[in-house]
Amino acid sequence: MRKEVIYSLSSPYREEMKVTAYRFGHGKKAACIVGSIRGNEVQQLYVCSQLIKKLTELEASGAIVSGNEITVIPSVSHHSMNIGKRFWAVDNTDVNRMFPGYDLGETTQRIAAGVFEEVKNYDYGIQFASFYMPGDFIPHVRMMDTGKQSASLASLFGLPYVVIRKPRPIDTTTLNYNWQVWDTNAFSIYTNETDEVDEASARQAVAAVLRFLTRMGILRYHNHSGYIATVIAEEELRQIKTNVGGIYRRLKHPGEEVHMGDVLAEILHPFEGEVLSQIIAPTEGIIFFAHKKPLVTENEVIYKIIRRLHE
Amino acid sequence: MIETVSAMELPVEEHLRIRKHRVLPLHPTGKEKRICVVTGTHGDELEGQFVCYELLRRLKAQPEYVKGIVDVYPALNPLGIDSISRGVPMFDLDMNRIFPGTEEGPMMETLAKHIVDDMAGADMCVDIHASNIFLMEMPQVRINEETAEKLVPYGKMINVDFVWVHSNATVLESTLAYSLNKIGVPTLVVEMGVGMRITKAYGYQLVAGLLNLMKELGIWEGEVEQVKEPIVSSDRAVGYLNAEKAGIFLPMVEIGDMVETGDELGQILNPLTGDVEEVIEAPIAGMVFTRREYPVVYSGSLLGRILGGKEDREEEMA
Ligand SMILES: [Zn+2]
């Protein structure tokens, strides 16, 4: 394992911010793994730390196939993370909306450019990402539909689902999108948590990356075969919205099977406690996403369901 | 009359409510043109608040001159303005990145859809922004080059100092202005002043421009002032000043100053060592139209922009 500072930025009052890369093996740029880009992505940081620990052991035992280099960048966002902010500490801009970056531009464009210069030109790019809606998911691999994505490669992670998303204008400045534009096969991995550490889904994420690297001939490692992934387009997910605001009582969780008519959640009057609304499953399927915070507004998307298709 | 454009129930006994003030002619014919004046998408930008007040005050003072429909939306992000938050509180979301919105999407995207639906069919829209808390901007209209042909003539009516025609960026396709232009509502984006402050002179300047634009559209028949002939930037170079060093920035120029290449525009200081970390020099000659107000800077922080002459652009193109 070689440790290298790939980007640094001096701060007016704090210590210099350094972005560190951990490199394993020598040879062609085989795979690059990026952890936390936003300051609240603690789970993503944790997953990377566990992956670096595991890859260090594997490298010592000669398990990295010669001619391959694997790079892991556990954090780009610790300057924000250390002070409890999600976005860039000074101007609240999102580094994951600044790719491919611009080295003569504004601060977060410079950070993105510095990082992108190091992470591009790999065969495979893997990011542990987070979503802007507050809630949790079934662990899955997400890809942007750029015409260059390969869902069959994504299924080699052995996570239960692969979701393909049509990029919207705001997606064109993410790391995942720009990796693909620069001919890297890019995957975003979502686990259950973001702000908190979830051991079980972190283990699953580490196992998924090791499985993928093994299947691509970069690692020699004995893996369980994982799931046979179901590939779904994001627009096929059935979204369920609230019709009132109030206190949210979640009854069904990500991964659970539901039948049409099942009560997924209740929304309670915030003062009087009575049930104002029952959120009913409009279809049979599996819960893919569920809102988590204890309060909800009207018109919020609180569930996404993978519809079961009857052949 | 005051109308609710959209209302969403919040968790505890409150609604997120977008409101507008509609001013109608005394004797409507049903064939009036309509202008939307909108601001407050970014909760830390307040210059538009005074513009809304002053415009409404003038229209109410001389209602006989109102010949069209004037819809004034002072706050597209009322929760943000009320809590000194640029984005939408709770979502950490830039509201100007979710347009045109969709009824199927999350709450804020649904709200965005309602806003666009309400403005659809208008003959003109002016979306007033006030930079951010970091930068002071001279009153200007910003126009995407895709719509320049149609919008530059309107930009010249609105009494700004200059009209900046910029290239398209895919990410800007999620703005309110882009979405409205796309559905045939000509929309001008005004940037002026600085975040968290109100620059009264700029407010009066823009109200004069709005009344002039409304007169051109047949919406206002009262008196208007002679408006400025703005510089149009499409054939001029723009010079950017970005910090290279971290520290405390002190400017030495004012907005509107003419500078020569190499002039000292400011310094980045180190309050711990007592040293000057960097001297900021003008990269091109021209007029300072953006100036940093917030002193703390990192490498990359924008310190100012200069609008160059026509010759610079020709050199750039050669
Ligand atoms: Zn703004």
Side-chain angles (χ1 to χ4, degrees), chain A residues 12 41 43 105 129 145 162 218 222 236 251 272 274 308:
Chain A
E41 293 174 346
Q43 167 82 346
D145 184 357
V162 172
I218 299 164
H222 180 73
E236 291 169 25
L251 302 175
E272 295 158 21
E274 22 160 315
R308 183 175 314 275

Side-chain angles (χ1 to χ4, degrees), chain B residues 41-42 45 86 96 129-131 191:
Chain B
T41 310
H42 294 129
E45 299 177 17
R86 181 173 181 80
N96 215 17
H129 289 257
S131 184
E191 284 282 1

Side-chain angles (χ1 to χ4, degrees), chain A residues 95-116:
Chain A
V95 176
N96 202 25
R97 293 270 181 257
M98 293 293 165
F99 288 98
Y102 176 44
D103 62 358
L104 298 175
E106 294 240 20
T107 311
T108 42
Q109 292 177 310
R110 292 182 182 205
I111 297 170
V115 171
F116 196 65

Side-chain angles (χ1 to χ4, degrees), chain B residues 63 82 186 202 313:
Chain B
D82 232 51
Y202 289 171
R313 178 61 183 228

